[in-house]
Amino acid sequence: MRLPLSLIAGALMVATPALAQAPIPVGHLMDNSGATSDVGVPYGQGVADTLAWVNQTRGGVAGRRLAVSGFDYGYQAPRAVSQYQSWAQRERVVAIQGWGTADTEALVRFVTRDRIPYISGSYSAALTDAGGTSRRQGVEPAPFNFFYGPSYSDALRGMLQWAAEDWKARGQQGRPRYVHMGANHPYPNSPKEAGEALARELGFEVLPAIQFALTPGDYTAQCLTLKNQGANYAYLGNTAGSNISVLRACQTVGVQVQFLGNVWGMDENAMKAAGTAANGVVFPVRTASVWGASAPGMETMRAISRVSDQSGNAYRPVHYLAGACAAMLMVEAMETAAEGGGQITGERIRNGFYARQDWVPRGFDGVCAPSTFTAQDHRGTMRVALYRAQVSGNTSQGSVQELMAAGTMALQPVATINLPRRADWLGW
């Protein structure tokens, strides 16, 4: 049976607006209950609030609401892989906000095959070799993997460069001693070799690594080892929850060392929990400012915060802000994909990440640090901003908001290290 052209044209006119209004399916993998939930909760809340805010204030993307499917996988990589299959095959998501290193790395081949941009909370350097040009063993091309901020390896490189200068500035003699600490797990191990290699290059004596679990526990033995080794700089590769246990134990046994926290290893909540044991920890912050700073984009961030805190009184730690910036990169890449009536497909979203240089989402000036991605190199930034945790008194009384307002706790800017974009560091 042949239909008249007028009927076919009419059917297309009806179908096209309907398609344009169809929600955009997006996956959101989070750890609200597993080993990294101490930092997963604020980061995931930042992502969720931002995507909800985009729906509320902008009507979604190109007139289409974001249909966000959230899943708490408890930091169990097999559950993440299973959920990914559901999202890719049944819900047909066009992009995913992801989380951990073990699961993100396990999914690289899947997201590449399915052409689904995956914006993770893992900053493993292995995810940055988009074009497969590094040819490093175990590093696969990852053209659909992105993250906001410096990689774990580059953040550690920045801290080591600062530590080398700090050693000289304090007039110390001889070679400083450096040690890597963390669980035997893909996440804390991710920057281990890269950090130790640069430490040697900078003149450090590299000590045998010290292992401690991703969960809180009694780490007195590890602290005694640290003390006996005579380490000067120690990298904490785990999330804040277990790092708090280490900091307390080391304070008890009298360890004198400069701790370097990884990006998930310290925040305002951890400062409150650890008390004065956290005082002096230096760690990288991904955003251009922290909560409450007088940056133009802070009003936008406060509006996002009210999505889950209508009172507007909640203090948002550094991970919340980073989650918001990561979500906005995805949103604006979608907007680029939709320009000129284009379809919002995974491939077009991926290309949207390459459309800007020194990219700060609109309305987030002074909060989201600039990012630049290319088809070969997904190191979004080589800028490493370092802060020092300052805790000057009892943190058991009062909220984080009150302690920060009173000055009992503070985040002190230490240095901003601009690393060279060395080709031999790509994917490593």
Side-chain angles (χ1 to χ4, degrees):
M1 182 179 66
R2 293 187 177 181
L3 294 175
L5 287 177
S6 59
L7 288 179
I8 295 174
L12 288 174
M13 290 178 67
V14 171
T16 302
L19 179 63
Q21 298 304 316
I24 303 169
V26 175
H28 179 196
L29 188 72
M30 61 193 90
D31 179 15
N32 289 343
S33 58
T36 61
S37 58
D38 53 321
V39 293
V41 168
Y43 180 88
Q45 192 67 62
V47 171
D49 285 356
T50 301
L51 298 181
W53 174 82
V54 168
N55 278 339
Q56 292 173 10
T57 64
R58 300 185 180 182
V61 173
R64 298 171 60 187
R65 292 180 62 79
L66 301 173
V68 183
S69 173
F71 182 75
D72 173 15
Y73 77 120
Y75 206 60
Q76 298 177 41
R79 294 186 65 195
V81 174
S82 176
Q83 182 61 30
Y84 172 81
Q85 301 293 358
S86 174
W87 278 334
Q89 296 170 13
R90 287 197 287 274
E91 299 184 42
R92 303 288 183 181
V93 299
V94 296
I96 295 173
Q97 289 283 325
W99 182 240
T101 297
D103 35 281
T104 300
E105 292 184 344
L107 288 169
V108 167
R109 289 186 182 180
F110 292 99
V111 302
T112 300
R113 177 197 66 192
D114 300 331
R115 298 180 175 273
I116 299 175
Y118 197 92
I119 302 89
S120 66
S122 168
Y123 307 144
S124 169
L127 304 170
T128 63
D129 185 7
T133 57
S134 72
R135 305 195 184 283
R136 289 192 173 278
Q137 185 175 0
V139 175
E140 302 179 46
F144 284 84
N145 285 89
F146 299 89
F147 54 76
Y148 167 75
S151 71
Y152 294 137
S153 298
D154 288 334
L156 177 50
R157 289 177 177 120
M159 286 191 289
L160 285 167
Q161 288 200 9
W162 170 81
E165 292 302 317
D166 175 68
W167 182 255
K168 295 175 185 175
R170 292 193 287 116
Q172 299 295 324
Q173 302 298 314
R175 298 171 63 196
R177 294 178 175 180
Y178 167 75
V179 62
H180 177 102
M181 300 179 68
N184 185 19
H185 181 278
Y187 147 55
N189 281 342
S190 175
K192 181 176 179 294
E193 291 184 6
E196 291 179 343
L198 184 62
R200 292 187 182 96
E201 189 178 316
L202 292 171
F204 287 81
E205 178 184 347
V206 176
L207 304 173
I210 299 174
Q211 290 188 8
F212 68 103
L214 276 169
T215 51
D218 181 0
Y219 298 120
T220 302
Q222 284 85 344
C223 289
L224 289 172
T225 299
L226 185 63
K227 187 175 184 179
N228 292 335
Q229 284 182 341
N232 304 112
Y233 298 90
Y235 174 74
L236 296 173
N238 291 359
T239 60
S242 56
N243 288 351
I244 291 166
S245 297
V246 169
L247 292 170
R248 286 174 170 170
C250 287
Q251 183 185 51
T252 299
V253 301
V255 171
Q256 297 295 319
V257 67
Q258 174 62 64
F259 283 110
L260 307 172
N262 81 95
V263 70
W264 300 111
M266 182 53 57
D267 67 357
E268 298 93 328
N269 292 330
M271 290 162 62
K272 173 174 167 54
T276 54
N279 187 50
V281 175
V282 171
F283 68 105
V285 171
R286 291 143 289 184
T287 48
S289 57
V290 297
W291 186 255
S294 57
M298 194 56 67
E299 281 306 306
T300 304
M301 199 64 75
R302 288 189 181 279
I304 290 171
S305 176
R306 291 189 189 96
V307 170
S308 59
D309 172 47
Q310 294 184 0
S311 71
N313 294 325
Y315 182 94
R316 299 301 190 179
V318 291
H319 307 309
Y320 181 95
L321 276 65
C325 293
M328 285 309 303
L329 292 184
M330 181 189 74
V331 167
E332 292 202 348
M334 287 179 167
E335 291 174 344
T336 300
E339 287 177 356
Q343 292 186 345
I344 303 178
T345 64
E347 195 163 11
R348 289 178 63 87
I349 295 169
R350 187 269 314 267
N351 294 341
F353 275 86
Y354 307 145
R356 307 164 181 84
Q357 290 190 340
D358 296 324
W359 175 15
V360 175
R362 68 182 188 277
F364 290 80
D365 298 279
V367 175
C368 297
S371 301
T372 301
F373 301 94
T374 71
Q376 298 298 319
D377 189 343
H378 282 190
R379 289 178 288 184
T381 183
M382 302 300 291
R383 170 187 174 275
V384 182
L386 301 180
Y387 280 68
R388 179 180 282 110
Q390 292 186 320
V391 184
S392 58
N394 183 4
T395 59
S396 62
Q397 302 296 320
S399 65
V400 170
Q401 170 96 353
E402 291 166 340
L403 292 167
M404 296 293 286
T408 306
M409 300 191 330
L411 290 175
Q412 176 196 24
V414 173
T416 298
I417 311 297
N418 291 299
L419 296 170
R421 192 173 288 271
R422 283 173 47 171
D424 61 321
W425 286 353
L426 178 62
W428 182 43

